[in-house]
Amino acid sequence: MEILVFLLRNSRSNFVLAVVTGLLAGASSSGIIALIHFIISTELSHFYLSLLGFIAAWLGFGLFSAASSYFLSRLSQKTILNLRLSLTRQILNTPLKQIEAAESKIFLVLTEDINTLANSLERIPSVFAAIATVLGCLCLMAFISPLLLGLLALILLLCFPLYVFPLKKMQNYLSDVRQEWNIIFKYFYELHHGIKELLLSLSKQKSFVSNYLDPACQRQYQQAIKAKTLYTIVSRWGDLFLLASLGVVIFTLPTWSSLSFADLKEFLLIFLFTLSPLTTILAFLGEMERIKISLQKIEEVGLLIQADTLFTVPHQLLPNFKTLRLENISYKYYSDVREYPFYLDRITLSFERSQVVFITGGNGSGKSTLVKLLCGLYTPDAGHLYLDETMINERNRQAYRQNFSVVFADAFLFEELLGFEGVELQQQAHNYLKKLELDHKLKIINNRFSTIQLSQGQRQRLALLVACLEDKQIYIFDEWASNQDPHFKKVFYYEIIPELKAQNKLIFMISHDESYYHIADRIIKLEEGRVVENQENKV
């Protein structure tokens, strides 16, 4: 039932058309059987009428089957399209902290669960046609012998609970399989991002595979075998109780009633024709359990919420602001590497345009957390940020973030220059490529980099180029110079930073390059989430 509500939510018109044409296809199929029964019973005494009826039913079955498949294909593919776009919108509208906490779940839903839905939705046209065929055949069987149909229906109703109970059990196994996939996907994520560390240590490799990945895969394997086995049993049990019903009718009713064998023969012929569509329906009931679990996982990460306002925020919030202030900002988070939660505690700072601010401190002092709060990626637990006198809140936080360009220590490079469509940047980009000595490594063609297969230092320089092209009001550089040789450090500190300052930008740098502290207007030092130094114009 969940899948029908889900489909109706996405496109009511396509769903109704698919259902109607599917039912008509099934009716045409059962109409062919009715015509065959009519031809046999009349010994083809109405040749032309029967021929015209057969051709009409044959054409109707082909036409309506194709139409049903077309409408439902449109519906299913549109549903999957909307679902994938909805996930993207949802991710881009979700606080970074929540994404970091549920990253593996989100991307597993995007792949595993959406593919499960896509594969299942493709089977629905045949299910609708099967339902209509069965209904038509039931009407024909009722015409031949209401007694036979009643007995058959009674037997099926008595057996049906024995079919439903294993389905419920199978759902538990499928849920366990899906849960194990969450764990395995997390390990695959760690394998991808930690491959360098694993390659450098055989003991880490052995521990990772033997103690974590292999046990998780073994558990998933065992649960999958149980689920698949039970699914097979359920499918075969459906076939068995249909055939058992047939056996009961054959071996009991003719001896207990005045039913003729001629009627029984006709009845059984039609019943045999319904076995295939009945099997299709029963098999889809088993598939419904997979769909139900996938829909539950999708709803858990909020993918069914339609977010139509993603790109409607103003480009910038107060682009001509003079000050950025933090008032009593506090933030707490838990980490796997810390026994106690980390606190960024009651930080109050104020910054002016055209300032160069160095943020220093040891590992775990809160530098990266502070800059994520500064640029609006994290939301403070207490306190507020202000641009001039405008307080940043949930209504304007998206717009507030548009004032920032950040080059993180683990900056990701897109192959495309995103967000620059229709903007002529060739000359400016070429100047930066030359200044950062990347012009011999790559070119920018149609707003795309010819390659991003670069060394870590070169990738950081390319990320710096993109940031400069964005021309934002506030810049944050997270340990940008740590992977650069002395020559590029000088280019960065003595050329790029002064150019940005001259353009009235506010610049934050997480840096431990003490030999360059003299270019800073402010030096802020953090320890254990607190500001312990706030120096102005000092080396």
Side-chain angles (χ1 to χ4, degrees):
M1 197 63 193
E2 292 90 345
I3 189 64
L4 299 182
V5 174
F6 180 65
L7 290 172
L8 279 169
R9 186 183 301 175
N10 280 273
S11 179
R12 189 179 299 272
S13 59
N14 277 325
F15 179 76
V16 171
L17 287 170
V19 171
V20 170
T21 52
L23 292 174
L24 289 173
S28 300
S29 176
S30 56
I32 292 174
I33 300 301
L35 277 168
I36 292 173
H37 173 262
F38 174 76
I39 291 168
I40 293 172
S41 62
T42 61
E43 298 181 353
L44 206 58
S45 58
H46 303 281
F47 178 83
Y48 292 107
L49 179 63
S50 300
L51 178 60
L52 288 174
F54 184 87
I55 292 173
W58 177 75
L59 289 174
F61 175 73
L63 177 63
F64 292 128
S65 295
S68 177
S69 180
Y70 169 74
F71 288 124
L72 203 57
S73 292
R74 283 187 58 181
L75 172 59
S76 61
Q77 293 306 314
K78 182 179 179 182
T79 299
I80 298 305
L81 171 66
N82 289 341
L83 207 50
R84 285 176 175 143
L85 293 177
S86 178
L87 170 61
T88 303
R89 294 187 181 100
Q90 202 60 20
I91 289 173
L92 294 174
N93 280 293
T94 300
L96 178 62
K97 185 177 181 181
Q98 294 181 26
I99 294 175
E100 291 172 341
E103 185 173 13
S104 62
K105 291 182 180 180
I106 290 173
F107 289 100
L108 184 57
V109 163
L110 183 59
T111 54
E112 178 73 12
D113 294 305
I114 289 183
N115 285 337
T116 296
L117 279 179
N119 294 332
S120 299
L121 291 176
E122 291 176 358
R123 298 187 180 95
I124 292 182
S126 60
V127 174
F128 285 139
I131 291 172
T133 300
V134 169
L135 291 175
C137 288
L138 288 176
C139 293
L140 188 56
M141 286 188 284
F143 174 78
I144 295 171
S145 175
L147 177 62
L148 267 176
L149 181 61
L151 177 61
L152 186 63
L154 179 62
I155 295 170
L156 292 177
L157 287 174
L158 291 174
C159 293
F160 192 70
L162 300 177
Y163 179 79
V164 172
F165 175 75
L167 277 180
K168 296 298 181 183
K169 187 67 175 176
M170 186 179 71
Q171 183 180 2
N172 295 333
Y173 286 133
L174 289 173
S175 182
D176 291 339
V177 169
R178 180 57 178 74
Q179 191 61 37
E180 290 299 333
W181 261 120
N182 278 341
I183 299 171
I184 291 172
F185 194 88
K186 181 179 79 72
Y187 291 141
F188 285 161
Y189 179 85
E190 292 175 352
L191 175 65
H192 173 67
H193 290 277
I195 186 64
K196 296 187 293 295
E197 289 78 3
L198 291 172
L199 290 176
L200 290 170
S201 173
L202 285 174
S203 60
K204 284 184 179 179
Q205 293 177 32
K206 183 178 180 180
S207 177
F208 176 77
V209 175
S210 301
N211 298 335
Y212 299 97
L213 182 59
D214 182 67
C217 289
Q218 291 291 344
R219 290 193 302 269
Q220 193 273 341
Y221 166 77
Q222 295 295 335
Q223 295 296 341
I225 290 295
K226 292 177 182 178
K228 292 286 186 182
T229 301
L230 191 56
Y231 180 77
T232 301
I233 292 172
V234 168
S235 300
R236 296 290 74 78
W237 173 235
D239 297 339
L240 286 172
F241 86 69
L242 287 175
L243 293 173
S245 303
L246 184 62
V248 171
V249 170
I250 292 173
F251 291 104
T252 61
L253 201 58
T255 59
W256 294 350
S257 70
S258 59
L259 182 72
S260 69
F261 275 95
D263 288 340
L264 179 61
K265 183 169 62 176
E266 292 184 17
F267 186 92
L268 293 179
L269 176 66
I270 298 169
F271 179 73
L272 288 172
F273 187 83
T274 64
L275 283 179
S276 178
L278 275 172
T279 301
T280 299
I281 296 168
L282 291 174
F284 191 73
L285 289 177
E287 192 69 27
M288 290 286 286
E289 300 303 321
R290 294 178 183 273
I291 296 172
K292 186 176 181 180
I293 291 171
S294 292
L295 287 174
Q296 288 173 351
K297 296 300 179 182
I298 290 170
E299 288 177 342
E300 283 179 12
V301 293
L303 304 191
L304 301 185
I305 300 173
Q306 297 299 317
D308 297 324
T309 60
L310 177 59
F311 307 118
T312 60
V313 296
H315 179 64
Q316 288 181 322
L317 177 69
L318 297 178
N320 298 314
F321 72 92
K322 295 181 179 180
T323 61
L324 168 62
R325 291 185 290 123
L326 292 77
E327 290 193 0
N328 291 316
I329 293 292
S330 295
Y331 185 78
K332 176 179 71 173
Y333 70 86
Y334 293 86
S335 171
D336 294 336
V337 299
R338 299 175 66 96
E339 183 176 358
Y340 301 103
F342 175 81
Y343 289 91
L344 205 64
D345 193 28
R346 294 191 298 261
I347 292 181
T348 298
L349 295 166
S350 181
F351 307 101
E352 305 291 332
R353 295 288 290 266
S354 298
Q355 278 192 338
V356 177
V357 182
F358 275 45
I359 301 175
T360 69
N363 292 335
S365 61
K367 305 185 299 298
S368 295
T369 302
L370 176 60
V371 298
K372 287 177 182 177
L373 285 164
L374 270 172
C375 65
L377 290 176
Y378 284 172
T379 303
D381 297 326
H384 298 285
L385 287 85
Y386 292 86
L387 279 183
D388 292 337
E389 300 305 316
T390 301
M391 186 176 72
I392 308 306
N393 51 38
E394 291 306 314
R395 292 190 301 275
N396 59 23
R397 195 177 310 281
Q398 178 83 303
Y400 168 75
R401 289 201 292 257
Q402 309 315 302
N403 290 283
F404 288 82
S405 187
V406 185
V407 180
F408 294 103
D410 57 349
F412 181 84
L413 278 177
F414 294 94
E415 292 187 2
E416 303 84 3
L417 274 169
L418 301 178
F420 295 102
E421 292 81 357
V423 180
E424 182 55 52
L425 296 170
Q426 291 297 325
Q427 187 56 51
Q428 189 179 0
H430 178 74
N431 293 339
Y432 278 116
L433 283 173
K434 190 172 182 179
K435 180 178 292 188
L436 296 170
E437 297 185 16
L438 293 171
D439 53 327
H440 65 290
K441 286 285 185 180
L442 60 93
K443 298 183 183 301
I444 299 175
I445 304 172
N446 296 326
N447 276 15
R448 289 177 61 93
F449 298 121
S450 58
T451 181
I452 56 172
Q453 302 303 314
L454 306 168
S455 68
Q456 182 62 28
Q458 291 168 339
R459 291 174 65 85
Q460 286 293 95
R461 300 206 297 274
L462 192 56
L464 173 63
L465 177 149
V466 174
C468 291
L469 291 178
E470 287 180 334
D471 193 27
K472 297 295 184 71
Q473 307 305 308
I474 307 172
Y475 282 82
I476 298 176
F477 301 105
D478 186 355
E479 298 282 7
W480 184 89
S482 61
N483 292 314
Q484 305 298 328
D485 60 35
H487 168 69
F488 289 110
K489 285 187 178 182
K490 289 180 180 179
V491 171
F492 176 64
Y493 286 116
Y494 292 143
E495 296 184 35
I496 302 294
I497 297 303
E499 287 176 5
L500 293 174
K501 182 177 179 179
Q503 295 170 20
N504 201 30
K505 312 296 187 183
L506 173 56
I507 305 159
F508 295 94
M509 287 188 287
I510 297 178
S511 176
H512 296 97
D513 286 334
E514 294 185 9
S515 58
Y516 294 98
Y517 280 6
H518 61 277
I519 74 167
D521 298 302
R522 299 267 296 278
I523 300 175
I524 295 172
K525 184 176 181 180
L526 297 178
E527 287 183 5
E528 290 295 319
R530 294 176 180 272
V531 176
V532 295
E533 291 184 22
N534 184 6
Q535 304 176 6
E536 292 191 16
N537 297 320
K538 293 183 180 180
V539 179

